[in-house]
Amino acid sequence: MIDIAETTERGATIVAPTGKIDTLTAKAFEAELKKHIDGGTGALLVDMSGVDYVSSFGLRSLLIAAKQLAPAGRKYVLFGLSPHVHDVLRVSGFLKIIPVVATREQALDLVDPPPLSIG
């Protein structure tokens, strides 16, 4: 089972799955992402801090979202990956495809940079 929370911050939708993204849960996760891809216009951020395992089915869901967002020029960023999940994305080559940062603030700054302070 997977729980998925969602919030909006600084114009970006943040989807936060909790649990495993595997054969049993990837379709539900993919459907949640698709809902925001089809119905949204801003950046889509995925808070992976509650995910402790990603299978090839989960990787597929992440990749499909990236491919669907790219033509519209919408930003897509993952953040908060555990060391294990980060390794899975690194080994599979996903770190070259999908931007990954450590924190929510870094993800938000990537899609909505803070104003420059002068002086």
Side-chain angles (χ1 to χ4, degrees), residues 75-90:
K75 296 199 178 180
Y76 178 55
V77 181
L78 307 181
F79 68 93
L81 282 70
S82 71
H84 174 72
V85 172
H86 190 275
D87 281 347
V88 169
L89 267 70
R90 181 184 54 78

Side-chain angles (χ1 to χ4, degrees), residues 1-101:
M1 179 161 165
I2 189 167
D3 291 318
I4 304 171
E6 59 184 73
T7 59
T8 302
E9 192 172 336
R10 289 171 40 188
T13 298
I14 303 171
V15 175
T18 302
K20 295 177 178 2
I21 305 176
D22 58 15
T23 309
L24 300 174
T25 61
K27 281 293 183 192
F29 176 62
E30 190 176 320
E32 183 70 20
L33 293 178
K34 185 158 178 48
K35 176 178 86 173
H36 295 291
I37 292 166
D38 293 345
T41 56
L44 180 59
L45 311 180
V46 182
D47 179 353
M48 299 287 285
S49 61
V51 176
D52 53 10
Y53 177 81
V54 177
S55 75
S56 60
F57 287 92
L59 291 174
R60 178 183 175 277
S61 297
L62 292 169
L63 183 60
I64 286 171
K67 287 184 173 186
Q68 291 175 341
L69 288 165
R74 292 176 60 197
K75 296 199 178 180
Y76 178 55
V77 181
L78 307 181
F79 68 93
L81 282 70
S82 71
H84 174 72
V85 172
H86 190 275
D87 281 347
V88 169
L89 267 70
R90 181 184 54 78
V91 169
S92 64
F94 276 59
L95 296 181
K96 296 175 184 170
I97 300 168
I98 302 170
V100 173
V101 295

